[in-house]
Amino acid sequence: MRIATKIYRMKNKEKMKQYSKNYREANKEKINQQKKEYREANKEKIKQHNKKHREANKEKMSEEMKQKVDCEFCNCAVTKKHLRRHQRTKKCLKTRQKHTPTTK
């Protein structure tokens, strides 16, 4: 039975994908409501899971946050975590306006 199921899924992958997409679009509100109810009912469980995940991946997350990248507009080195915040600064906006061609 399991082998037959795997074969069926392999043969009808696109059909099943389309069905799922259509279902999600047609029942978007219902799905969102169910997710909301689950989150409210399992608040502590989710909180514990997130805490456990952060503890297990603390070093990896820390390294990713410290990663330096260059801003594409002003070539200033900033941390990946703060790139968007940097791009809203006066310095970066001013540089961006200088190098962006005006369309008229």
Side-chain angles (χ1 to χ4, degrees):
M1 177 88 174
R2 288 186 177 186
I3 295 172
T5 304
K6 286 184 180 182
I7 293 171
Y8 175 82
R9 287 183 178 174
M10 287 171 52
K11 287 181 180 179
N12 297 295
K13 189 173 185 176
E14 288 301 316
K15 183 179 175 183
M16 293 172 70
K17 190 176 180 181
Q18 187 62 38
Y19 174 81
S20 293
K21 184 178 179 181
N22 292 340
Y23 178 83
R24 283 191 305 272
E25 287 175 7
N27 297 293
K28 192 172 189 174
E29 292 176 16
K30 180 182 173 183
I31 292 169
N32 287 339
Q33 183 63 32
Q34 289 173 337
K35 286 181 180 181
K36 184 177 179 180
E37 289 172 5
Y38 176 83
R39 284 192 304 270
E40 289 173 1
N42 297 291
K43 212 173 226 180
E44 278 300 314
K45 183 179 176 181
I46 294 168
K47 188 176 180 180
Q48 290 297 324
H49 177 268
N50 289 340
K51 184 177 181 180
K52 191 175 180 181
H53 175 75
R54 281 192 304 274
E55 289 294 323
N57 297 296
K58 196 173 194 176
E59 290 178 20
K60 183 179 176 184
M61 291 167 60
S62 177
E63 288 300 317
E64 287 178 3
M65 284 188 240
K66 291 177 185 177
Q67 185 180 9
K68 294 276 187 175
V69 294
D70 291 330
C71 174
E72 61 186 282
F73 303 111
C74 65
N75 294 322
C76 186
V78 291
T79 58
K80 188 175 181 179
K81 179 180 178 182
H82 296 110
L83 181 61
R84 293 282 173 214
R85 180 170 63 175
H86 160 77
Q87 289 175 345
R88 292 189 302 261
T89 62
K90 290 179 184 178
K91 173 187 173 183
C92 190
L93 290 172
K94 191 174 181 180
T95 307
R96 190 182 321 182
Q97 288 173 349
K98 284 182 183 177
H99 297 292
T100 307
T102 56
T103 54
K104 282 191 176 183

